[in-house]
């Protein structure tokens, strides 16, 4: 079934910023002497908001709200040091062509990212103008796996959630998409996702037809 809108997560789908998020959290955890592994990042932090991510890392330890704020700011500073160097070359291969193909087919494009850095990354990749709607971390309170960000993005492009396809690299994101009542496409290893309708190993050089879920 052809969707009327395709709603993309940003980090880890259209660009590899998920690696920069991991490296920034790892640096913060090292500063604090807290053990934190790449596997934990993949299972517990991928796609999850800033505060929720920190809550996982510091679980069981006591920190004041001021200390929590300072740590979130410090992680964001580390993340920004990496991200500000980004150029359009870091858009996934074939990304611009794919978004153009989707719009030519009369399908709306939108972003659903809980990152507060989303707009900056889109601008650095020079793809802001390829989206009909952009929902980011400033639009909703509840992070994925809550469906809010995908529902908000569907509203921006005036398409019912049932007519949307969501694209995600995180299991928390796939949960958000399914709870929103959308079709869900996972990007990454099959074992990562529980409820995806379809999984692609990579977004590199894919076409509209590859994204569609055959029903
Ligand atoms: C998501 C990332 O897109 O945004 C997460 O996958 C990140 O790793 C979250 O924690 C929040 O991002 P930010 O930029 O607001 O700290
Ligand atoms: Mg992601």
């Amino acid at each position: 079934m052809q969707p009327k809108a395709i709603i993309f997560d940003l980090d880890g789908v259209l660009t590899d910023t998920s690696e920069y998020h991991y490296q920034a959290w790892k640096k913060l955890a090292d500063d604090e002497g807290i053990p934190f592994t790449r596997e934990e990042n993949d299972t517990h932090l991928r796609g999850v908001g800033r505060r929720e991510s920190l809550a996982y890392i510091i679980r069981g330890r006591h920190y004041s709200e001021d200390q929590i704020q300072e740590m979130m700011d410090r992680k964001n500073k580390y993340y920004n040091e990496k991200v500000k160097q980004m150029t359009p070359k870091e858009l996934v291969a074939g990304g611009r062509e794919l978004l153009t193909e989707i719009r030519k087919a009369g399908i709306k494009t939108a972003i659903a990212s809980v990152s507060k850095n989303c707009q900056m990354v889109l601008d650095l990749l020079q793809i802001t103008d390829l989206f009909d709607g952009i929902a980011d971390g400033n639009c909703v309170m509840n992070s994925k796996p809550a469906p809010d960000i995908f529902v908000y993005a569907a509203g921006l492009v005036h398409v019912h959630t049932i007519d949307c396809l969501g694209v995600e690299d995180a299991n928390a994101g796939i949960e958000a998409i399914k709870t929103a009542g959308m079709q869900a496409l996972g990007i990454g290893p099959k074992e990562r996702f529980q409820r995806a309708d379809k999984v692609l190993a990579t977004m590199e050089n894919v076409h509209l037809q590859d994204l569609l879920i055959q029903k």
Side-chain angles (χ1 to χ4, degrees):
M1 189 190 71
Q2 180 143 317
K4 293 184 181 156
I6 302 184
I7 305 182
F8 293 89
D9 171 47
L10 174 64
D11 299 317
V13 170
L14 294 172
T15 183
D16 207 9
T17 34
S18 48
E19 177 62 22
Y20 298 153
H21 278 292
Y22 163 66
Q23 287 173 10
W25 283 125
K26 178 68 182 152
K27 193 163 179 203
L28 180 91
D30 288 351
D31 290 351
E32 298 295 315
I34 301 175
F36 176 59
T37 64
R38 186 177 278 279
E39 289 66 38
E40 284 180 288
N41 182 76
D42 244 38
T43 312
H44 300 281
L45 267 61
R46 187 177 278 273
V48 166
R50 197 181 300 178
R51 182 175 283 271
E52 294 81 358
S53 298
L54 180 61
Y56 174 81
I57 292 172
I58 64 171
R59 71 199 179 284
R61 294 173 171 80
H62 181 75
Y63 287 97
S64 68
E65 177 57 25
D66 282 355
Q67 287 173 310
I68 287 173
Q69 279 296 341
E70 185 281 321
M71 284 192 283
M72 288 195 294
D73 292 347
R74 191 166 6 130
K75 182 268 176 176
N76 196 46
K77 194 180 100 210
Y78 294 154
Y79 178 70
N80 274 272
E81 280 163 9
K82 308 246 177 220
V83 159
K84 70 178 183 215
Q85 328 268 5
M86 283 178 81
T87 70
K89 285 197 182 124
E90 286 178 70
L91 176 64
V92 68
R96 179 164 277 279
E97 294 76 4
L98 173 68
L99 291 163
T100 308
E101 183 190 357
I102 293 170
R103 294 177 102 196
K104 274 203 183 129
I107 300 171
K108 301 273 188 206
T109 55
I111 287 282
S113 165
V114 294
S115 172
K116 292 192 167 75
N117 293 294
C118 173
Q119 188 61 63
M120 175 182 67
V121 172
L122 292 173
D123 288 344
L124 287 165
L125 294 173
Q126 296 178 12
I127 55 171
T128 300
D129 59 338
L130 294 176
F131 295 97
D132 301 300
I134 295 168
D136 69 12
N138 301 300
C139 299
V140 298
M141 280 297 291
N142 297 323
S143 176
K144 300 166 189 176
D148 307 26
I149 193 81
F150 280 96
V151 175
Y152 191 100
L156 288 179
V157 295
H158 307 290
V159 174
H160 293 304
T161 57
I162 199 166
D163 293 319
C164 295
L165 168 68
V167 187
E168 259 292 344
D169 69 309
N171 190 47
I174 293 291
E175 289 300 315
I177 294 169
K178 291 310 293 177
T179 308
M182 302 179 181
Q183 295 184 317
L185 173 66
I187 306 296
K190 267 201 169 70
E191 318 78 70
R192 187 186 285 164
F193 308 105
Q194 283 158 18
R195 288 210 286 159
D197 295 301
K198 179 174 177 174
V199 175
L200 292 178
T202 172
M203 274 287 287
E204 281 181 26
N205 298 311
V206 299
H207 293 278
L208 171 58
Q209 206 53 41
D210 303 316
L211 305 185
L212 300 181
I213 290 146
Q214 311 302 334
K215 281 266 162 79

